[in-house]
Amino acid sequence: MILNELAKYDPITIQCHDNPDADAIAAGYALCRYFESLGKSVRLVYGGRNKIQKPNLLLMLEHLEIPLIYIENAGAFLKGEPEGKISGLLITVDCQYGSGNVTRLPAEKVAVIDHHRPETENIELGEINSHVGSCATLVWRLLTEAGYQVEDKRLGTALYYGLFMDTNQFAELYNPLDQDMREAVPCDKSLITLFRNSNLSLQELEVAGVALLRYIYNDDYNYAIIKAKPCDPNILGLISDFLIQVAEVHSCVVYNETGDGYKFSVRSCIKEVQADELAGFLSEGVGSGGGHREKAGGFINLVLYEEAYPTLHSEAFFSERLNDYFDNCEIICAANCDIHISDMDIYVKKPVTLGYVMAKDMLPVGTPITVRTLEGDLDIRVEEDLVIMVGIQGEVYPNRFSRFEKNYEVTQKPYREHGARLGAGLLYEPTIHNRETGEVMKLIDHAKLCISDGGRRVFAKELTNRVKVFTAWDSEKYMLGRPGDYLLVRYEDRKDVYILERDVFFHTYEREGNCSDLT
């Protein structure tokens, strides 16, 4: 556990990035509280040219009693330190030691806790996880793993608000760990309301107004792009929320420059464009993005961007990526079209080991539950015959026992013990949330192994372009296929069309022949 390693040091200085936001303050405060509970001498600091002035942050510091110290002059501050450098341990939080957004303080030992992409090398201590939406989430996970439960409402409110602000008021919440933290910490919702309604300054109001006058509109695909001046990320969400209400705009991207890249916000009001998927497409290879079907966002790392697009200015980049997104994608509505199988091969399903749970063995029949996975939440009720399946990459889907017992050989071997290879390397273990009590259980702890009988046939072909499939059982949300993935059509039902990722497909199916072999 990384916090156990850091707890060996005393004293400990926790440093937020310059001009800290709510997430940096919350994450730093949580670490401060943890190390204080261990009897360590701890201080929480930040530097830079400007002292905090935003009213929401000042209210946060006041109401949550966060002891954040401003270092106005680093040289003067270091004169009070032995040998002119931070003694004990320095932890940079929500930033990385040596980066341009944090004042460099010489230190005996340095650790980094951050949720951005790695920017510096040779950091021996710390943890960087760019998959979570906030540094507050990362710190909460580390605290939980160290056995420290967040029970104090001030601390819980700080963590909640840090996530709230770094995910554009939860509109860009796309990692299940973020959702777990939001639901787990105690929170004073009245303070969140106070902070939220003190977030916009007159200057930021002007930034939003000017930005709305400088839009780029594409009438072929009904999208709009706006570049705003540097501002709080939530202002991007405010602008995009307003822009998507324009009748001619079906999807939009609002972005601005930060010191180390581009922060962007995405909105969509049509089912053919899911905002979270578009955000992932825009940032692919150069950053990260995600969120919800209608609201999402992301970040583009400047170093990666300049390596990939050295001569392309930002407005041209977003225009070209959006045009590519719309130009090179096929949409299939399975219920209303006939799939041509002449260019497809016949594959047969192999016996595959999976996991399963009888839901009634975990909770009483009738209990409303949320099955949380990396792909999203599934809200269902426990039923007598409900079987919850765990796929080879940790994907989760419901089944009925009557169908399950026909197609699978059931075992009593624990998934956790015997299916280690299946669950290895999962970024998030699926969980079951009891919506009546709030209890959270790890699905894999209750799962057992089963083996599919194999033998079922499908038509399949490798995709050479992006494809969105609206399946016959879900006409509102599409399955996305990328080049290299496989499009499948069930042998007995040409309307049963779906997509499997390449690795899952070859693990599950083997080629039997091509369509010309049919008689």
Side-chain angles (χ1 to χ4, degrees):
M1 300 294 181
I2 183 62
L3 291 187
N4 290 340
E5 294 183 53
L6 303 186
K8 299 174 183 177
Y9 297 89
D10 195 10
I12 296 174
T13 300
I14 302 165
Q15 183 184 10
C16 303
H17 56 71
D18 298 350
N19 191 29
D21 56 11
D23 183 41
I25 295 171
Y29 177 48
L31 289 171
C32 187
R33 291 285 297 272
Y34 170 72
F35 290 119
E36 284 178 344
S37 74
L38 300 179
K40 306 294 180 180
S41 174
V42 190
R43 58 187 172 182
L44 178 62
V45 306
Y46 75 100
R49 289 177 291 181
N50 300 313
K51 193 173 182 179
I52 291 174
Q53 296 179 343
K54 284 182 66 66
N56 64 317
L57 298 181
L58 293 174
L59 288 169
M60 179 186 182
L61 294 174
E62 175 189 352
H63 285 273
L64 302 181
E65 301 178 19
I66 299 176
L68 182 60
I69 301 168
Y70 175 52
I71 302 175
E72 186 172 3
N73 185 303
F77 181 78
L78 290 169
K79 284 183 179 179
E81 295 292 309
E83 302 179 7
K85 59 183 177 181
I86 301 295
S87 59
L89 176 68
L90 173 68
I91 305 173
T92 62
V93 63
D94 200 33
C95 58
Q96 296 170 36
Y97 188 76
S99 295
N101 67 336
V102 57
T103 298
R104 187 181 181 91
L105 299 175
E108 291 179 357
K109 195 71 176 179
V110 175
V112 169
I113 296 179
D114 189 23
H115 74 120
H116 299 99
R117 293 180 66 91
E119 299 178 27
T120 56
E121 299 178 354
N122 303 321
I123 299 297
E124 298 177 5
L125 283 175
E127 178 145 344
I128 299 174
N129 184 341
S130 60
H131 298 290
V132 293
S134 73
C135 197
T137 300
L138 175 57
V139 170
W140 171 78
R141 195 208 81 203
L142 296 175
L143 294 177
T144 302
E145 291 176 351
Y148 182 88
Q149 298 301 315
V150 178
E151 298 175 343
D152 177 71
K153 186 170 281 191
R154 285 183 304 158
L155 177 55
T157 301
L159 291 169
Y160 185 99
Y161 189 56
L163 175 64
F164 180 84
M165 292 300 288
D166 241 38
T167 57
N168 189 17
Q169 302 186 18
F170 301 142
E172 298 165 16
L173 195 71
Y174 53 90
N175 190 297
L177 274 173
D178 296 318
Q179 296 169 273
D180 288 347
M181 196 268 281
R182 179 180 64 175
E183 296 171 4
V185 296
C187 176
D188 187 331
K189 296 296 179 65
S190 63
L191 284 181
I192 297 298
T193 301
L194 175 65
F195 301 160
R196 185 187 70 220
N197 290 302
S198 305
N199 189 45
L200 187 64
S201 67
L202 288 173
Q203 182 181 5
E204 289 168 331
L205 178 63
E206 182 179 347
V207 168
V210 170
L212 286 166
L213 295 173
R214 299 176 178 175
Y215 63 86
I216 297 172
Y217 178 69
N218 182 295
D219 56 6
D220 290 328
Y221 299 121
N222 300 105
Y223 71 73
I225 302 171
I226 286 180
K227 180 181 180 181
K229 291 183 178 179
C231 60
D232 190 284
N234 290 279
I235 307 305
L236 300 181
L238 183 150
I239 298 169
S240 55
D241 282 339
F242 189 87
L243 183 58
I244 198 62
Q245 296 183 60
V246 177
E248 292 83 0
V249 176
H250 295 168
S251 55
C252 65
V253 177
V254 180
Y255 76 98
N256 69 359
E257 296 181 20
T258 66
D260 53 355
Y262 300 98
K263 177 71 177 174
F264 65 89
S265 182
V266 177
R267 297 291 184 268
S268 172
C269 63
I270 57 174
K271 69 178 184 179
E272 291 80 9
V273 177
Q274 292 175 188
D276 54 348
E277 183 257 323
L278 176 54
F281 179 85
L282 292 172
S283 60
E284 186 174 2
V286 291
S288 60
H292 301 288
R293 291 168 63 184
E294 296 182 6
K295 297 184 178 185
F299 178 76
I300 292 174
N301 180 280
L302 186 60
V303 173
L304 297 177
Y305 173 81
E306 291 180 340
E307 289 177 354
Y309 306 97
T311 62
L312 200 63
H313 62 81
S314 59
E315 289 177 332
F317 164 77
F318 281 106
S319 292
E320 289 189 10
R321 290 295 287 165
L322 282 164
N323 287 335
D324 184 25
Y325 177 85
F326 288 104
D327 284 338
N328 299 304
C329 186
E330 178 185 1
I331 296 178
I332 297 174
C333 297
N336 303 319
C337 70
D338 294 320
I339 300 294
H340 298 291
I341 63 169
S342 56
D343 61 343
M344 305 178 88
D345 289 336
I346 302 170
Y347 285 80
V348 62
K349 193 169 187 178
K350 299 185 288 187
V352 177
T353 301
L354 304 173
Y356 79 96
V357 173
M358 291 300 301
K360 67 178 182 180
D361 292 341
M362 294 182 66
L363 291 164
V365 172
T367 304
I369 62 174
T370 295
V371 184
R372 179 158 296 162
T373 74
L374 197 60
E375 292 75 32
D377 283 1
L378 176 65
D379 292 333
I380 52 178
R381 284 185 178 271
V382 175
E383 299 181 26
E384 183 71 28
D385 63 343
L386 177 63
V387 183
I388 302 175
M389 308 290 297
V390 184
I392 62 176
Q393 291 188 335
E395 69 275 18
V396 173
Y397 50 94
N399 204 342
R400 295 294 178 189
F401 185 76
S402 57
R403 182 177 177 183
F404 170 71
E405 66 176 348
K406 290 179 182 178
N407 297 312
Y408 294 90
E409 175 188 340
V410 178
T411 81
Q412 297 302 311
K413 294 180 179 178
Y415 184 101
R416 177 72 74 187
E417 178 181 347
H418 297 277
R421 184 181 61 82
L422 297 176
L426 294 182
L427 294 175
Y428 179 82
E429 288 193 1
T431 52
I432 300 290
H433 296 242
N434 183 332
R435 298 207 304 274
E436 289 182 338
T437 66
E439 181 184 8
V440 180
M441 296 171 282
K442 287 191 174 182
L443 183 63
I444 289 175
D445 287 342
H446 298 265
K448 298 173 183 176
L449 295 183
C450 60
I451 304 171
S452 67
D453 56 12
R456 284 173 290 167
R457 288 170 149 188
V458 296
F459 301 105
K461 70 175 180 180
E462 182 177 356
L463 297 177
T464 57
N465 61 317
R466 297 171 67 253
V467 174
K468 299 175 182 179
V469 173
F470 290 93
T471 63
W473 59 87
D474 190 346
S475 62
E476 293 298 319
K477 185 178 180 181
Y478 54 78
M479 300 180 72
L480 177 67
R482 299 175 177 85
D485 294 339
Y486 274 75
L487 179 71
L488 285 76
V489 179
R490 191 151 64 94
Y491 195 88
E492 298 86 0
D493 183 0
R494 304 291 172 85
K495 298 296 184 183
D496 192 352
V497 183
Y498 54 102
I499 287 170
L500 282 183
E501 292 183 8
R502 182 181 185 86
D503 291 345
V504 176
F505 176 75
F506 282 110
H507 188 91
T508 311
Y509 290 91
E510 59 186 355
R511 188 176 183 277
E512 184 178 71
N514 55 47
C515 288
S516 62
D517 297 331
L518 294 175
T519 57

